[in-house]
Amino acid sequence: MSREPSFPNPLPVHLQSSDQPHWLSLLAAALTHTTSGISITANTDEHPVVYCNPAFERLTGYTSSEILGQSWRVLQGEHTDPDALVGIYEAIEAGKPTDLVMLNYRKDGSSFWSALNLGPIRNEENAVTHFIGVHTDVTDRVNTQRELEHRAYTDILTGLANRAQFMMELKQEAAQPESQGLFALAFIDLDGFKAINDCFGHEAGDELLRQVAQRLRGVVRNVDLAARLAGDEFVLLLRHVDSDAALELIAQRTLAAFQPAFELEAFSVTVHASVGLVRHRPGESAVQMLSRADQAMYQTKRQGKNDFTLDLTTLG
């Protein structure tokens, strides 16, 4: 018959043994009334929940009778980050505390972000018998952070990636050994955009830019990135482009996207584009590549606009 594990006396050193019942009652009240969800799991194969407080019940939607005896994995689901689970398993295996933020699921299937503080509970022999988890709902904080990140990397007018996002991804692509020479850029500048603003006003110009962005989304594939750099300048980061012929097809598709008239609020306008295209050269930096694409676009402008120029130069 196995005996119940004994634990170090939780009584503070300045209190007397006669104070222990009151002290234990106070600890129980603290667990009951804290606003953070508290769970205790046994350090066995399935790590079943052996205790949860009312705040945990409110947070997860499970009553204590439903959750006790269940594995702690009951809160995980389809979109729970595997890296977070690895972090928990590593902490359990090592018998060490850990702090992390992970996506959990309530009984009704709704998700929430939880900041988890997990710590081992040791008996008098210093063996880990249980783990205590402190769960805090940080969904609002995570959503706010994601919204701020989205705004930092998104062009507010068009919804495309902005210059910061584009440059970050371009630099990452240029630095990857497996991507050397196997991606391309298309630099797009609208022909006559200033005249639209001057004749019809900036609201019409903004609407035109939004519609251009929507058409460019239709040009790129899921692996590509469409971005607005500034004003009426757009750029396409084209991944897995292994030939100039493939790039020319993309150029033709881009120009074709500008052929139908743009329907603005009270009128329609025809606007074309000048496009400069470059394939990455092994060892070329992101800045060098963007500069070549920009120069190719201006070459198209000089040659009459509404066309594309494919830069075939190599690094010197």
Side-chain angles (χ1 to χ4, degrees):
M1 177 185 239
S2 62
R3 64 184 182 87
E4 290 294 321
S6 57
F7 299 94
N9 191 336
L11 192 68
V13 294
H14 67 279
L15 297 181
Q16 304 298 317
S17 298
S18 59
D19 295 317
Q20 182 162 330
H22 171 72
W23 181 249
L24 293 178
S25 176
L26 180 60
L27 291 179
L31 289 173
T32 298
H33 295 292
T34 182
T35 57
S36 294
I38 306 292
S39 66
I40 298 176
T41 58
N43 190 23
T44 58
D45 289 342
E46 295 299 319
H47 297 282
V49 178
V50 298
Y51 169 82
C52 69
N53 71 343
F56 182 91
E57 294 178 303
R58 292 191 297 270
L59 177 62
T60 66
Y62 289 98
T63 64
S64 60
S65 61
E66 292 171 325
I67 201 73
L68 296 185
Q70 295 260 29
S71 168
W72 62 273
R73 289 294 303 273
V74 72
L75 297 181
Q76 277 73 69
E78 178 182 6
H79 298 295
T80 300
D81 184 3
D83 290 339
L85 297 179
V86 169
I88 292 176
Y89 280 123
E90 289 179 345
I92 290 175
E93 183 68 23
K96 294 181 178 179
T98 188
D99 291 281
L100 50 84
V101 175
M102 65 189 303
L103 187 69
N104 282 335
Y105 290 82
R106 300 183 179 89
K107 179 185 174 182
D108 64 7
S110 61
S111 62
F112 67 98
W113 287 94
S114 174
L116 170 65
N117 173 269
L118 185 70
I121 299 175
R122 298 180 180 273
N123 62 15
E124 289 185 335
E125 286 75 41
N126 203 38
V128 177
T129 62
H130 299 79
F131 285 89
I132 182 169
V134 180
H135 310 257
T136 305
D137 188 346
V138 292
T139 303
D140 289 344
R141 187 183 81 191
V142 171
N143 288 341
T144 298
Q145 180 178 344
R146 288 189 165 188
E147 176 63 22
L148 291 174
E149 291 174 351
H150 176 74
R151 292 183 181 183
Y153 293 107
T154 301
D155 178 60
I156 301 303
L157 177 64
T158 65
L160 295 180
N162 63 10
R163 188 183 188 93
Q165 176 72 21
F166 165 73
M167 290 304 299
M168 181 176 67
E169 295 201 26
L170 178 59
K171 289 177 180 178
Q172 290 173 350
E173 203 71 31
Q176 292 178 3
E178 63 272 20
S179 297
Q180 298 301 298
L182 297 177
F183 67 98
L185 290 184
F187 198 115
I188 303 161
D189 187 88
L190 304 189
D191 297 332
F193 178 71
K194 184 176 183 299
I196 300 295
N197 272 339
D198 292 343
C199 293
F200 304 111
H202 288 284
E203 288 187 8
D206 287 348
E207 176 57 24
L208 174 61
L209 293 175
R210 283 190 285 265
Q211 292 189 28
V212 167
Q214 186 60 34
R215 294 190 187 186
L216 291 179
R217 289 188 183 96
V219 170
V220 298
R221 304 156 298 172
N222 290 337
V223 297
D224 301 326
L225 177 70
R228 179 184 177 220
L229 292 186
D232 61 332
E233 294 180 340
F234 296 83
V235 68
L236 308 179
L237 172 57
L238 306 163
R239 296 179 168 95
H240 313 311
V241 177
D242 57 3
S243 70
D244 293 333
L247 193 53
E248 288 185 12
L249 288 175
I250 295 172
Q252 296 288 0
R253 210 162 62 230
T254 302
L255 293 176
F258 286 86
Q259 294 309 304
F262 291 88
E263 301 296 331
L264 303 183
E265 184 174 351
F267 48 86
S268 62
V269 295
T270 299
V271 175
H272 298 301
S274 296
V275 183
L277 300 108
V278 298
R279 285 181 59 209
H280 182 250
R281 307 305 184 195
E284 185 176 33
S285 72
V287 173
Q288 288 172 322
M289 189 178 184
L290 181 59
S291 177
R292 279 203 301 128
D294 187 20
Q295 291 170 18
M297 182 274 295
Y298 275 109
Q299 180 66 24
T300 305
K301 293 277 191 187
R302 289 191 291 269
Q303 293 174 349
K305 306 179 181 179
N306 187 26
D307 203 349
F308 70 90
T309 297
L310 177 57
D311 178 14
L312 299 176
T313 61
T314 58
L315 290 177

